[in-house]
Each structure stands twice: as C-alpha cells, then as structure tokens.
C-alpha cells in the first residue's frame, strides 16, 4: 500500500499541480484510444546478460529536473560505463526508455533540448486528470520506431503504481510509450492509464528512485540517480505554503534516502532549487548531470574491477 508519508507528499502538491496543468498548454478534448500490445509486468529477458558484473541504473523522477539524466548517461557512456539494465520512474522512465532504445550521446541531448511542452502535453476536460498523456505516448513510440520494450537495445523496465491497490508494478514488455505514460501519470494532473482493466499512475508515489526494483533483479552493481529537490535552507519560511512545502520535502527526502541506501553508487546532480516545470533550465540540468556522473566514474570503475 502507499505509505502515509507518500500520501502527504501527494496531498501537498495537489493544488499546485492542478494549477500547473492549466499553464502548460492550451486545452483539447478527446477520448482515450485503444491500447495495442499493452505493457506487461513479466520477468525480464536477461538471457544475454551472462557476463559480470551486470550493471543496473535506476533513474528517479522529478519532471524537468530529470533532464539531468541525459548528462549522467552520456558521461558514463563516454567513460566506458554502459548499464545492462535501465529502470526508470516517472520522468526518469522517459529518458531511460530513449537511452535503452539506442538514442544516446548527441542524439539524446538533442532530443532533450528540442522537446517542447506542446509535444507531450495534451489537455482534456474529460475528468480524472487535466492531461491525457497520449501525446507523450506517441512521442516515445515515434522515437523508438514503435518497438516494444522487449525489442529495445538495452533491457528496460518502467515502474508504475496500480491505483486501486496502491502496489508497485514493473512493466518489462509491451508498448513502451504506454508504459512510460503510465509511469509518468501524476494523479490530478495526468489521467490514469487503464491497462487490462486496471488504472496505473506515477511510479514515484511508491518508489521515487527505483533502487529496490533494480536490486531485486539480481544485478551486481546498482547506480542510482536522484534528481529530487532537496529541502530549501536559504529562503524565509514565512507563509503557510512555504512551511508545508518544506515539511513535505523533508519527509520525501527521508523516504528517498531509505531507498538510496540500497544502491552501490548514488549520483546526485547539483540542481539547486530548479523548478520541476522549468524547461528553460534544460541545458543547465544536463550539464549538472554530466558533472555529477564524472565525479562518480572512479568509484564505479573500482566496483566493476572488484566484481569481475
């Protein structure tokens, strides 16, 4: 079930998120389309991963702060470190699935910098959310050439939360765009995704950085990338909202830290108080991710040498 602290996080963000939905893009009305080859939570196909060490990278979510993942992945690749398994939550699943699909280096950075809100935001008045999420689904599938998850270049998994029972689900097969859409469906903002009769929403409600999922796959090394916003320690807490937001951020960080303790290496890009909606800071986020990853390269290579 969803933890009490997570419920507090969701509640405190609710009003701000609803307002955000109106300012992101113009409004449109439409019905959800039939999902072809729906995502499935099946055992990962790891037959090809017979070498050691097997490396998994867990990419956390935080909307536009997740652009930092681009810098992290590219910096690691340039230094000869390429994860065998990519596990993404929320916006981390967006970057992760593109990387797993072979979109890397300059191509991945170009995709991030060219992305516009109108490409992934489709407003609706149909209830249960202000954004349908179908545009994000199409965007992902178009980039991947409509390949399903199991046909991507790198093993990939996207986490989502099954809404009725509040349990974490890990999609490893089927429609990649739908899996990412479900993983990113923040309640109240993006409409839940119905798959085989079940509603799915943002995986970050239960696992902000999916380290536990990566660890349970039996890999040798888990690299975690945390792009969540830390508590603000330099601004006056002089309003009800500021105090509430600070308290929730502290609780959220505690939950994140508990999961990060299971990772072998934690990469935390220095993003400061960058907003989760600030598209103008994309390049700064990418650069911060690259810098943080470069600082971790030495430790990762030491672990690889030990576990070979």
């Amino acid at each position: 079930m969803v933890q009490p602290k997570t419920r507090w996080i969701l509640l405190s963000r609710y009003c701000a998120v609803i307002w955000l939905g109106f300012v992101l893009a113009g409004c449109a009305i439409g019905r959800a389309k039939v999902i072809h080859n729906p995502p499935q939570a099946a055992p990962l196909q790891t037959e090809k991963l017979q070498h050691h060490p097997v490396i998994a990278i867990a990419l956390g979510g935080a909307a536009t702060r997740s652009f930092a993942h681009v810098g992290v992945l590219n910096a690691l690749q340039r230094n000869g470190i390429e994860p065998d398994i990519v596990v993404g939550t929320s916006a981390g699943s967006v970057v992760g699935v593109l990387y797993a699909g072979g979109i890397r280096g300059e191509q991945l950075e170009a995709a991030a910098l060219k992305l516009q809100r109108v490409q992934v935001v489709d407003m609706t008045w149909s209830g249960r959310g202000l954004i349908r999420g179908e545009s994000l689904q199409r965007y992902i599938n178009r980039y991947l050439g409509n390949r399903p998850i199991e046909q991507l270049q790198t093993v990939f998994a996207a986490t989502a939360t099954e809404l009725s029972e509040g349990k974490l689900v890990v999609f490893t097969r089927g429609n990649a765009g739908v899996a990412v859409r479900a993983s990113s469906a923040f309640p109240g903002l993006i409409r839940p995704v119905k798959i085989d009769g079940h509603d799915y929403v943002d995986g970050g409600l239960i696992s902000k950085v999916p380290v536990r999922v990566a660890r349970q796959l039996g890999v040798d090394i888990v690299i975690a990338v945390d792009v969540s916003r830390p508590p603000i320690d330099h601004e006056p807490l002089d309003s009800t909202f500021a105090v509430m937001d600070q308290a929730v951020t502290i609780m959220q960080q505690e939950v994140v830290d508990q999961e990060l303790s299971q990772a072998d290496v934690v990469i935390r890009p220095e993003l400061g108080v960058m907003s989760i909606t600030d598209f103008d800071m994309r390049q700064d986020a990418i650069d911060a991710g690259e810098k943080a990853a470069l600082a971790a390269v030495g430790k990762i290579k030491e672990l690889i040498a030990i576990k070979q």
Side-chain angles (χ1 to χ4, degrees), residues 20-306:
L20 170 64
F22 287 104
V23 301
L24 283 176
C27 296
I29 299 176
R31 295 180 179 179
K33 297 180 180 179
V34 175
I35 294 176
H36 300 287
N37 188 21
Q40 301 174 34
L44 279 176
Q45 296 180 317
T46 57
E47 297 84 358
K48 297 180 180 180
L49 305 180
Q50 300 301 320
H51 62 278
H52 288 285
V54 174
I55 302 173
I57 190 164
L59 305 177
T64 56
R65 291 172 65 93
S66 296
F67 282 113
H69 293 315
V70 174
V72 170
L73 291 166
N74 285 347
L76 293 181
Q77 183 182 23
R78 286 197 301 270
N79 283 273
I81 301 170
E82 298 191 37
D84 301 290
I85 300 173
V86 178
V87 184
T89 289
S90 196
S93 73
V94 176
V95 178
V97 78
L98 295 179
Y99 178 88
I103 301 166
R104 303 178 181 179
E106 294 181 358
Q107 186 181 12
L108 181 60
E109 183 167 345
L113 295 177
K114 290 179 182 178
L115 179 65
Q116 301 297 319
R117 289 188 180 94
V118 294
Q119 293 178 275
V120 294
V121 175
D122 45 3
M123 301 296 291
T124 178
W125 290 106
S126 63
R128 302 216 307 165
L130 298 174
I131 297 174
R132 291 195 300 272
E134 293 171 8
S135 290
L136 174 61
Q137 173 185 324
R138 289 193 297 269
Y139 175 85
I140 294 297
N141 284 334
R142 184 167 59 250
Y143 254 100
L144 297 177
N146 291 311
R147 284 175 292 164
I149 294 173
E150 63 271 22
Q151 291 182 15
L152 300 181
Q153 186 171 320
T154 299
V155 177
F156 175 74
T159 68
T161 301
E162 200 282 327
L163 190 57
S164 64
E165 296 184 13
K167 63 181 181 180
L168 190 68
V169 175
V170 184
F171 291 123
T172 58
R173 296 181 65 82
N175 191 308
V178 176
V180 169
R181 174 184 165 195
S183 181
S184 306
F186 192 90
L189 177 60
I190 302 176
R191 194 165 61 185
V193 181
K194 189 172 290 295
I195 302 171
D196 293 333
H198 296 270
D199 286 324
Y200 293 92
V201 294
D202 198 318
L205 296 184
I206 297 177
S207 180
K208 190 74 173 176
V209 186
V211 176
R212 289 195 304 268
V213 171
R215 181 60 70 191
Q216 290 168 1
L217 298 176
V219 302
D220 300 298
I221 298 173
V222 176
I223 303 170
V225 187
D226 176 24
V227 293
S228 59
R229 183 173 69 82
I232 302 172
D233 62 1
H234 62 276
E235 292 187 6
L237 302 175
D238 54 2
S239 69
T240 300
F241 178 80
V243 171
M244 182 177 66
D245 185 61
Q246 178 78 343
V248 169
T249 301
I250 291 171
M251 289 190 293
Q252 181 184 40
Q253 192 61 58
E254 181 181 342
V255 173
V256 171
D257 288 343
Q258 290 174 0
E259 187 150 11
L260 292 177
S261 66
Q262 300 180 42
D264 296 290
V265 177
V266 177
I267 298 176
R268 275 195 174 110
E270 292 291 338
L271 299 171
V273 294
M274 174 184 173
S275 167
I276 62 172
T277 64
D278 194 347
F279 267 63
D280 294 334
M281 294 285 289
R282 282 176 288 183
Q283 186 65 65
D284 295 299
I286 292 171
D287 293 343
E290 179 177 358
K291 182 179 179 180
L294 290 174
V297 164
K299 182 176 181 180
I300 297 171
K301 287 188 173 181
E302 287 179 6
L303 285 171
I304 292 174
I306 291 171

